[in-house]
Amino acid sequence: MQKMKKWAVLMLALVLVFGCMVPAQALESSKNPLIDPWPVPHVETEDEFYNILLAGIDLGNYTGVWASGGKNVLEDCHTDVVMVVSLNKTKNTVSLVSLPRDTLTYVPDVHGIYKLNAAFNCAETAEEGMERVCDAVTWLLGGVEIHRTDAAALEVFSR
């Protein structure tokens, strides 16, 4: 009986050791989309578009429930509203897409996945921050080229 118990304990230990090794190897060999995201496919079209990125920044020394927390430096801010206005020159139409601020997305040249509204903070200057948001939106929308941003407004706020 004693020999049977030792045999059972040994078998249980082997099962646990090998059982833990298999999932670790599977996780290591597979791509983790939160660390190394795969590209979003781009769909080609014959229509000609002009795309404008609009980003609302939480800058200001406001108080209250919905305030920005007293952010006085542009580089500390987030883009809490992100929209793309798309002008279809071929069909003479305008479309607007609003991207949720908490959307997890890849920010080029930054390791891992971030919320879209934090892409602005992955830079050292406000201009570079807008480029990061623009690049993240381009990746998120499958390579849709952004032709213009509202970055010109940054000059007004940074004075």
Side-chain angles (χ1 to χ4, degrees):
M1 188 70 159
Q2 189 74 319
K3 201 173 194 182
M4 190 75 128
K5 276 187 176 180
K6 286 183 180 179
W7 181 252
V9 170
L10 179 63
M11 290 303 288
L12 182 61
L14 287 173
V15 167
L16 287 174
V17 167
F18 286 113
C20 291
M21 288 175 62
V22 171
Q25 287 176 338
L27 181 62
E28 198 173 293
S29 64
S30 68
K31 289 181 78 171
N32 184 340
L34 294 178
I35 296 171
D36 188 20
W38 50 82
V40 178
H42 180 69
V43 177
E44 291 295 326
T45 179
E46 292 184 14
D47 290 357
E48 185 181 354
F49 291 93
Y50 188 80
N51 301 310
I52 305 165
L53 175 69
L54 304 176
I57 300 171
D58 63 350
L59 177 69
N61 199 7
Y62 304 107
T63 58
V65 177
W66 304 108
S68 68
K71 295 177 182 168
N72 295 320
V73 180
L74 200 56
E75 288 79 16
D76 294 337
C77 297
H78 291 90
T79 52
D80 288 335
V81 177
V82 179
M83 297 181 173
V84 176
V85 177
S86 184
L87 309 171
N88 185 327
K89 294 179 174 182
T90 308
K91 296 179 181 170
N92 289 326
T93 59
V94 177
S95 300
L96 176 74
V97 63
S98 179
L99 302 166
R101 62 179 291 241
D102 291 334
T103 301
L104 292 177
T105 186
Y106 169 67
V107 180
D109 299 323
V110 177
H111 182 70
I113 296 287
Y114 285 80
K115 287 183 179 179
L116 181 58
N117 76 327
F120 190 79
N121 288 94
C122 295
E124 305 230 351
T125 66
E127 291 76 19
E128 187 181 316
M130 280 304 294
E131 287 178 31
R132 299 275 184 170
V133 174
C134 186
D135 291 344
V137 168
T138 295
W139 181 86
L140 191 61
L141 295 179
V144 169
E145 184 180 358
I146 303 295
H147 299 96
R148 183 166 172 81
T149 67
D150 58 355
L154 292 175
E155 291 179 28
V156 174
F157 289 113
S158 55
R159 289 183 193 156

